[in-house]
Amino acid sequence: MPKLRKPAKLKSLRQQNTLAWIGNHAIAIVLAIGFIGPILFIVLTALMSDQQALTKNLWPTSWHWENFAEVFEKAPMLAYFGNSLLYAGLATAFMLISSVPVAYALSRLKWRGRNTMFYLVIVAMLLPPQVIAVPMYVVWAKMGLTGTLWPLILPNLLGDAFSIFLLRQFLITIPQSYSDSARVDGASELSILFRVILPMAKPGIAAAALFSFLNTWNDYFGPLLYTGENQGNWTLSLGLASFRGVHQVQWNLTMAATVLVMLPVIILFFLAQKQFIEGIKFSGVKG
């Protein structure tokens, strides 16, 4: 009989530990359900038939994987995907090329007016893009680039205020002794930037790149403003809005298109999750 009590005690102890874990993480569990619930609803609806979608039956009675193929048949999703990838990829690359040197100068170099320039970067972060939309459209129209994605891509060569701020906050966490040692060895500032600082700044760069990619991938206002009348240069955000307008009764196809738009971003986040979290964590260490 004593041997039978031990498993019962272990089972009771496990139940207590489980209840304690649920109690300690109750808020996190509720938030996770709140975030995952809508995504799960979208995925399940995308796999339903047209008759079952948005009914009281939340679980598919039959699985319709062909909905995803039908989306490609009814809309040029591959062309939209290529435009979004071109826009997000080039904008992110140009942002890094221009923002990293500026962040390095604001964080690692001592020069007159550095703090003033940093405050101007913060002010630029607070400026809504809609404020300068009209004059910028006039400028690009005079250059003959409206109807294309270049008015959205080329400005990134001048830097991005939020990315500069994020990278600057990360770079100041790197000890100054690394730069001083390189200077003693005769290294130039460019050599220090590329050989010393950038290898240690990979998490911050990954975080800034991911923020930029997500922002441009999901951008709707910019492509609508510049490419609204040229369907050949539409991005996925515009294509999805148009698809929803045409097929608003077929919610299973609309949800399938939504899943296809979200999928690349979800995969990218999971691939860069570790670097992204490290970049965000260390960016707020110093101010």
Side-chain angles (χ1 to χ4, degrees):
M1 293 297 295
K3 292 183 178 179
L4 296 176
R5 294 177 183 175
K6 188 174 182 180
K9 290 183 178 180
L10 289 175
K11 184 177 180 180
S12 177
L13 184 61
R14 290 174 180 173
Q15 291 177 348
Q16 292 177 2
N17 292 335
T18 302
L19 292 175
W21 185 90
I22 294 175
N24 292 331
H25 299 84
I27 297 178
I29 293 173
V30 172
L31 291 176
I33 294 174
F35 282 111
I36 297 175
I39 297 177
L40 184 61
F41 173 78
I42 291 173
V43 173
L44 292 178
T45 306
L47 296 172
M48 293 179 181
S49 64
D50 186 23
Q51 292 74 21
Q52 186 188 355
L54 295 188
T55 62
K56 63 179 180 179
N57 297 323
L58 299 179
W59 192 262
T61 55
S62 59
W63 301 88
H64 295 268
W65 297 95
E66 68 275 7
N67 289 342
F68 296 100
E70 192 172 350
V71 169
F72 288 96
E73 294 176 0
K74 295 192 174 185
M77 298 300 291
L78 286 178
Y80 298 155
F81 178 84
N83 293 333
S84 291
L85 190 61
L86 176 69
Y87 173 27
L90 287 181
T92 301
F94 289 169
M95 179 277 297
L96 292 176
I97 292 173
S98 58
S99 298
V100 169
V102 176
Y104 176 80
L106 292 175
S107 61
R108 314 293 297 182
L109 303 180
K110 295 182 180 180
W111 45 281
R112 181 178 298 179
R114 184 181 69 170
N115 292 335
T116 302
M117 291 302 298
F118 179 62
Y119 295 146
L120 290 177
V121 171
I122 296 178
V123 171
M125 289 173 55
L126 304 177
L127 184 66
Q130 290 80 5
V131 174
I132 59 174
V134 174
M136 290 303 300
Y137 184 88
V138 173
V139 171
W140 293 114
K142 290 182 178 180
M143 297 175 64
L145 292 178
T146 54
T148 70
L149 292 170
W150 290 113
L152 302 172
I153 297 173
L154 293 178
N156 289 277
L157 285 172
L158 301 178
D160 174 70
F162 174 76
S163 300
I164 293 172
F165 173 80
L166 183 65
L167 289 168
R168 184 258 183 188
Q169 294 302 104
F170 184 88
L171 292 181
I172 62 177
T173 64
I174 300 176
Q176 189 67 31
S177 57
Y178 289 103
S179 301
D180 295 338
S181 299
R183 291 190 185 97
V184 171
D185 293 337
S188 63
E189 291 299 332
L190 283 178
S191 180
I192 294 173
L193 172 61
F194 287 103
R195 295 185 179 182
V196 179
I197 301 302
L198 289 187
M200 292 188 291
K202 288 181 180 179
I205 294 174
L210 189 57
F211 271 122
S212 176
F213 189 89
L214 293 178
N215 183 51
T216 50
W217 184 270
N218 296 322
D219 185 18
Y220 178 79
F221 175 75
L224 177 64
L225 178 64
Y226 290 106
T227 67
E229 298 180 357
N230 186 1
Q231 187 174 356
N233 288 322
W234 280 9
T235 59
L236 281 172
S237 57
L238 286 182
L240 180 60
S242 175
F243 189 91
R244 182 183 59 189
V246 175
H247 303 279
Q248 58 181 344
V249 179
Q250 297 176 289
W251 284 105
N252 58 333
L253 296 183
T254 301
M255 295 301 181
T258 304
V259 172
L260 293 174
V261 173
M262 294 190 305
L263 190 59
V265 176
I266 294 174
I267 294 174
L268 178 63
F269 175 77
F270 279 107
L271 291 177
Q273 183 179 13
K274 182 179 179 181
Q275 298 286 342
F276 175 74
I277 293 175
E278 289 183 4
I280 296 299
K281 179 175 65 175
F282 289 108
S283 295
V285 174
K286 293 184 180 181

